[in-house]
Amino acid sequence: MNVLKTLGATATGLMDQMSPVAEKMKEGADELFDKLGTESRHVGEMLVERFGEQVEQLPDATLKRLNLVTARKARRRTFWAMVIGLVVGAVLMKALSRKTERGFSDVGRTEPWNEARTPAPVTGEVPR
C-alpha cells in the first residue's frame, strides 16, 4: 500500500512540476507556428510578385512557346467570358421564370386554403 501511495504522490508531484513547462512549450510552439505562417505568406507574396515581373518582361514569342498569353489577351478573354456568361445566365433565368409562371399560375387561381371545407360524415370508425 505504501508503495502505491508513494508512486501516486510522485506522479502528482511530477505533473505539478511539468505542467508549467508543458504550457510554456505549447505557447512557444504556437508562437513559432504563427511566425512560420507569417513568414511563409510573406515569402509567397514576394515570389509571386517577382515571378509576375519576370513574366511581364518576356517577349510574346516566348510566352506562346510556354503556352502563356499576354495580359491584354487574358483581359480580353476574361471580358468575353463575362459577357457570354451574363447572356447565357439571362437566357436561362428567362426560360426558368416562364416555366415557373406557368406552373404556379394554377395554384394562385384555385386558392384551396380559402375554400370552405365540407365536414366529413361521422360514422364512428377510425380513419386509417
Side-chain angles (χ1 to χ4, degrees):
M1 275 314 229
N2 287 336
V3 173
L4 290 175
K5 287 183 182 177
T6 305
L7 286 174
T10 305
T12 305
L14 281 173
M15 285 180 56
D16 290 341
Q17 290 177 358
M18 294 305 287
S19 62
V21 173
E23 285 296 320
K24 286 181 182 177
M25 288 178 64
K26 181 182 173 190
E27 290 172 5
D30 288 343
E31 289 176 11
L32 180 64
F33 279 119
D34 288 341
K35 287 180 182 177
L36 283 173
T38 304
E39 290 300 319
S40 65
R41 184 173 43 248
H42 179 67
V43 167
E45 289 172 357
M46 286 176 43
L47 284 173
V48 167
E49 286 176 16
R50 288 184 181 171
F51 183 73
E53 290 171 0
Q54 295 297 322
V55 168
E56 285 177 0
Q57 294 176 3
L58 291 175
D60 289 345
T62 307
L63 291 174
K64 286 179 184 177
R65 261 190 267 141
L66 293 173
N67 202 19
L68 299 174
V69 294
T70 61
R72 190 172 97 188
K73 194 175 224 178
R75 281 192 298 267
R76 189 180 323 135
R77 286 182 181 175
T78 303
F79 172 75
W80 283 111
M82 252 181 17
V83 169
I84 291 169
L86 287 172
V87 169
V88 169
V91 169
L92 283 174
M93 289 304 295
K94 188 68 173 176
L96 290 175
S97 68
R98 283 184 186 165
K99 194 179 246 185
T100 56
E101 283 174 9
R102 277 188 258 139
F104 291 129
S105 62
D106 297 336
V107 174
R109 278 191 232 134
T110 58
E111 295 180 4
W113 54 88
N114 289 334
E115 293 177 359
R117 292 186 180 180
T118 57
V122 179
T123 60
E125 295 179 9
V126 179
R128 293 183 189 179

